Amino acid sequence: MNTDGTQDAHGAHADPVPRPAGPPPTAAPASDVPSQPARPPAAGQLAGIPPRPVRAPGAPALPDGSGFLAWLRAPRPDAAPGIWRFGHRPRPAEEPEVVPARQLLSGALIAFLVGWLIWSLLWNGYLGGWWLLPLYAMIPDSWAEPHSFAAVVAVYTYYTVVALVIMVGVGRLGRWSEVWRRYGPPAWRRAGPRAEPPPTPSEDPAEWPQLRAAGAQEAADRLAAEARAGLMRDVDHARITRAWQGVRSGRHNLAAFTRAVLKDGAAACLHPSGERDLPVRAARHDLATAQVRIGTTADDPRNPYQYRGTGLALGPDLLGTSLLAVGPAGSGKTSSVVRPLAESLCLQALAGRAAVVVVGAAGAGLGPADAYDVVVRIGDPESAYDLDLYGGTHDPDEAAAVLAEALVGDLADPHPGGGSRRSTTVLAQLLGPFHAVHGRFPSVPELRQLLDGAPGPLGALRKALTDAGQQAMLRELDARERQLGHPGDLGSVLADRIALLDRPAFAAFFDTSGQGRPFSLRALDHPVRVRIDLPERGHADASRILARLVLAQFTASAAVREDRSLFACLVLDDATGAVTPEAVRGIQRLRSANAGAVLTLRTLDDVPRPLRGPLLGSTGCRMALSGLTPWDGQDFAEVWGKEWTEARDVTDRQIIAETPLGKTVHVLRRVITGNAPTARAVTVRQVERERWSASELAHGVPPGHAVLSLTNVRGEHAPPLLVDLRS
């Protein structure tokens, strides 16, 4: 751990020692947790003497914890993949049939008038007295005396029963119950906020019942008091919950956890950086469910009914299957997708739940530098960190495989069976002997000279190996020298590619002497936050090499982590040139390692044609933003497939009335329904159609929207959804 609060180049402590909390923060409260006014001054002030100020003039009001408690106690019901669970109200899976308001109210009124007419006809005797026969059959002769009390009660009871029967009949015909639900008090109660009953102490998350059940009563009391006092925030709750999960799994000691909580309260078990929140939040986060909201599912008939109008959110359960977002420049990939996801993963890292590496061009708007532990600015002389060219490994073969993927991975055969084994062999023939002599791998200039076959460096390396008696490494070097200058030798190609990194702008980078501060992706065992700025401007080819290098190192390091309970994620803004056959295979392996990758592309044309299908198939979450070309839309339409839908062919034939009564009925029908009287013939058949066609994706997605399909790590799917990324 460095004094400036950033991570060490090779990682940080996995289980940080709790630190004492600093003064109460004055930053804005967490998302969805509104700030509260300051507490009233304590009682007992002397009359006539103004109370002592509780804070300096102009300072923000201190919270009282009610906002945090409201956030913590908010309902989060289980929902389908991608639904924003904070305060979500589940909807039925199928859309209920809704009668138009005009038709519903007209039918209810006409049914009432019909019932009134029937009762009037019965009451005035126009239909005869047959409806009174049951009354006469049931009344005893002793009650038949006129104006007796029993007779009056019996008769009017019978009238009431008959009236109720008529009312129930016409009410069912006129759908009065639906009118009551849509326009009566039930609709008023639904429109207003629904007050949730206060939770019981055994179910109140603010009282930490899981700690009390395990015997940590004092720790639970301390945390509950801090929450009520406004000294706890969502990151603190998530971080302490994560530490408690370590206690339950046996990785931490209960006594040590209790001591840390009693000592530091809500500031216990801090992240190694000592930070308890990000400097700024640009998106809505819910750390209780590890979700970040990126938009709202449009109220569109093509979306399933249970998704319409709900918030759409992403979390580790979805990112664990990786995400591919494709859209032209200006469609919102960075601002609406990459930035919120990077921010959410940084919050998860502060809570000890995730490790994140964000890669993008310098100045791409990936968040402030203060939000990260390590910021590697390649090509910037003021960068405090360097990038380890060999991924922190000491195995020459592993280092050669990763470096070969970065240098010539885009030149490998993209068809199945293609690879970069030959280039890996060439590099291993040089890295192994060099490491055996010097105890380190060569720097960029040294590797370039060795690949060029310069007699001086090769001769010096041979002499050092001979003096050290390294016969095995001498055979590797002999094999490399025999291949020099032969047709098809990849050494010259590798030398040309490594020359792109042997530029004056990168002279202070990729140091292997041990004097710099190289960052290695071996640090993914720890909750580290990393941002790597690529020199896209002026060094586009070098940036693509470095992007492939980081992607290859990430897929290799994520698979060999010791602590896989941490979710590791790579966010690669603009993966142009980084998608190779080995990268696709590496992304497929991330899901089983509790890791994922987020890749963005301007167009699928930046990916070789044989790799487009495997790339779309290896990612569980696929996003097509507005402005897509029809060619890109065709690839998405193919991977999303087709579905069986019910096609209804309706044929309307207008009915012409010839009699005055028929014309009157038609006029009445037009008033009720709003349509001309027609005879309708409906043909229903099952057809198979594309979920989203290439034309719809290219021309039917409004600006600021995207079509997104989701798959979580448990295998649950969400069909392609039209999402408004601006809300």
Side-chain angles (χ1 to χ4, degrees):
M1 174 56 60
N2 302 308
T3 56
D4 59 354
T6 57
Q7 299 285 342
D8 183 74
H10 292 281
H13 300 290
D15 303 320
V17 178
R19 304 183 180 188
T26 58
S31 176
D32 293 323
V33 182
S35 59
Q36 300 293 334
R39 301 179 186 176
Q45 301 289 344
L46 296 177
I49 300 179
R52 180 180 179 180
V54 296
R55 60 185 184 274
L62 296 177
D64 63 357
S66 59
F68 171 78
L69 294 177
W71 168 83
L72 186 60
R73 294 166 177 166
R76 295 173 176 86
D78 293 335
I83 289 181
W84 174 253
R85 292 172 53 191
F86 179 83
H88 173 63
R89 295 181 181 178
R91 305 179 67 180
E94 299 293 336
E95 181 179 7
E97 183 179 357
V98 179
V99 180
R102 179 179 179 180
Q103 181 178 347
L104 179 65
L105 296 178
S106 300
L109 178 60
I110 292 176
F112 172 75
L113 295 177
V114 169
W116 192 3
L117 175 62
I118 294 174
W119 175 252
S120 179
L121 293 176
L122 292 175
W123 183 261
N124 293 288
Y126 290 104
L127 298 180
W130 57 267
W131 63 286
L132 297 175
L133 294 178
L135 174 64
Y136 297 146
M138 292 185 297
I139 292 180
D141 294 338
S142 59
W143 292 7
E145 298 180 5
H147 305 295
S148 66
F149 178 78
V152 171
V153 171
V155 169
Y156 279 96
T157 300
Y158 181 77
Y159 292 163
T160 303
V161 170
V162 173
L164 289 176
V165 170
I166 296 174
M167 183 179 297
V168 170
V170 299
R172 292 178 64 87
L173 293 175
R175 300 181 180 180
W176 290 1
S177 58
E178 186 172 350
V179 174
W180 175 263
R181 288 192 302 269
R182 289 172 60 174
Y183 303 104
W188 307 339
R189 289 194 295 268
R190 286 197 302 267
R194 182 171 55 187
E196 297 291 339
T200 60
S202 60
E203 299 177 353
D204 189 359
E207 296 295 331
W208 297 86
Q210 65 273 28
L211 272 67
R212 300 182 189 276
Q217 185 76 25
E218 296 180 353
D221 291 339
R222 174 68 187 274
L223 293 175
E226 298 253 322
R228 289 190 295 269
L231 302 178
M232 183 179 290
R233 60 191 80 178
D234 54 353
V235 178
D236 298 330
H237 182 271
R239 186 185 65 252
I240 295 174
T241 301
R242 163 72 178 179
W244 175 249
Q245 291 173 354
V247 174
R248 296 291 300 272
S249 63
R251 291 184 289 118
H252 306 311
N253 183 268
L254 176 59
F257 172 81
T258 303
R259 286 195 301 269
V261 171
L262 293 179
K263 177 184 177 183
D264 300 325
C269 309
L270 276 180
H271 184 265
S273 65
E275 300 293 335
R276 297 172 60 184
D277 204 349
L278 296 180
V280 63
R281 298 190 186 187
R284 294 183 62 186
H285 304 272
D286 184 24
L287 290 180
T289 56
Q291 288 185 315
V292 55
R293 178 167 177 157
I294 64 171
T296 303
T297 308
D299 190 4
D300 189 272
R302 289 170 291 191
N303 289 335
Y305 181 71
Q306 61 178 338
Y307 279 94
R308 295 179 195 172
T310 64
L312 191 90
L314 299 176
D317 60 330
L318 295 171
L319 298 181
T321 62
S322 297
L323 168 67
L324 175 65
V326 181
S331 59
K333 298 187 301 296
T334 302
S335 60
S336 301
V337 180
V338 173
R339 173 68 185 276
L341 289 178
E343 193 174 272
S344 174
L345 291 167
C346 286
L347 288 172
Q348 295 294 323
L350 289 179
R353 296 176 174 176
V356 56
V357 180
V358 183
V359 183
L366 301 178
D370 295 342
Y372 297 90
D373 304 316
V374 176
V375 179
V376 182
R377 299 184 177 94
I378 300 177
D380 187 351
E382 299 182 358
S383 177
Y385 285 91
D386 193 0
L387 182 64
D388 193 334
L389 194 65
Y390 302 98
T393 183
H394 299 286
D395 183 0
D397 293 330
E398 183 181 350
V402 174
L403 188 57
E405 169 67 13
L407 294 177
V408 294
D410 58 328
L411 301 180
D413 184 7
H415 293 84
S420 54
R421 287 186 292 272
R422 293 179 57 198
S423 56
T424 301
T425 303
V426 171
L427 288 172
Q429 290 172 345
L430 296 174
L431 297 182
F434 193 95
H435 189 274
V437 172
H438 300 282
R440 61 176 178 86
F441 291 119
S443 62
V444 171
E446 292 171 336
L447 181 59
R448 180 183 181 184
Q449 292 178 349
L450 293 174
L451 290 171
D452 280 332
L458 288 177
L461 182 58
R462 172 176 293 278
K463 182 178 182 303
L465 290 172
T466 303
D467 295 341
Q470 296 280 353
Q471 297 300 323
M473 294 302 171
L474 278 173
R475 289 194 297 269
E476 291 285 308
L477 190 60
D478 291 340
R480 174 86 287 271
E481 290 181 338
R482 286 194 300 268
Q483 297 171 5
L484 286 174
H486 287 195
D489 180 32
L490 292 177
S492 59
V493 178
L494 292 169
D496 292 341
R497 286 298 181 93
I498 200 68
L500 295 173
L501 302 181
D502 188 20
R503 306 296 303 160
F506 309 135
F509 287 85
F510 317 120
D511 180 58
T512 59
S513 63
Q515 299 178 358
R517 302 175 67 186
F519 169 75
S520 167
L521 268 75
R522 296 282 176 174
L524 294 179
D525 278 329
H526 314 293
V528 63
R529 304 169 294 166
V530 184
R531 194 186 78 188
I532 301 177
D533 294 343
L534 301 179
E536 184 70 30
R537 183 176 181 181
H539 301 278
D541 293 334
S543 296
R544 295 188 181 96
I545 292 176
L546 294 173
R548 289 194 297 270
L549 177 66
V550 175
L551 180 56
Q553 291 184 0
F554 178 84
T555 55
S557 300
V560 297
R561 291 183 301 154
E562 295 180 2
D563 184 9
R564 292 194 177 184
S565 63
L566 284 175
F567 176 71
C569 189
L570 172 68
V571 182
L572 182 54
D573 189 25
D574 191 4
T576 302
V579 180
T580 65
E582 187 60 34
V584 172
R585 287 190 287 268
I587 292 174
Q588 292 173 342
R589 293 190 295 265
L590 291 178
R591 181 172 177 175
S592 61
N594 192 24
V598 178
L599 308 178
T600 67
L601 291 169
R602 292 187 180 92
T603 173
L604 287 175
D605 289 337
D606 294 334
V607 179
R609 165 56 67 180
L611 288 179
R612 296 180 191 175
L615 175 62
L616 290 169
S618 63
T619 54
C621 304
R622 312 171 189 97
M623 177 182 290
L625 289 94
S626 61
L628 215 64
T629 64
W631 298 272
D632 290 345
Q634 184 62 40
D635 292 320
F636 278 99
E638 290 179 359
V639 75
W640 281 332
K642 300 180 180 180
E643 63 178 348
W644 287 99
T645 60
E646 187 180 83
R648 299 170 62 90
D649 297 333
V650 181
T651 303
D652 286 336
R653 180 178 60 84
Q654 186 174 0
I655 302 175
I656 300 176
E658 297 180 354
T659 62
L661 180 60
K663 293 180 180 180
T664 303
V665 172
H666 285 189
V667 170
L668 182 61
R669 184 173 174 182
R670 182 188 293 270
V671 170
I672 296 175
T673 63
N675 300 316
T678 57
R680 173 171 297 182
V682 181
T683 304
V684 180
R685 54 194 175 93
Q686 294 289 328
V687 296
E688 192 177 20
R689 293 178 178 174
E690 292 179 327
R691 299 177 186 270
W692 280 82
S693 66
S695 178
E696 289 175 329
L697 290 172
H699 308 293
V701 181
H705 289 63
V707 180
L708 172 64
S709 65
L710 302 170
T711 303
N712 62 19
V713 293
R714 296 183 299 273
E716 299 173 342
H717 297 268
L721 306 170
L722 180 62
V723 181
D724 185 359
L725 301 176
R726 300 169 300 182
S727 61

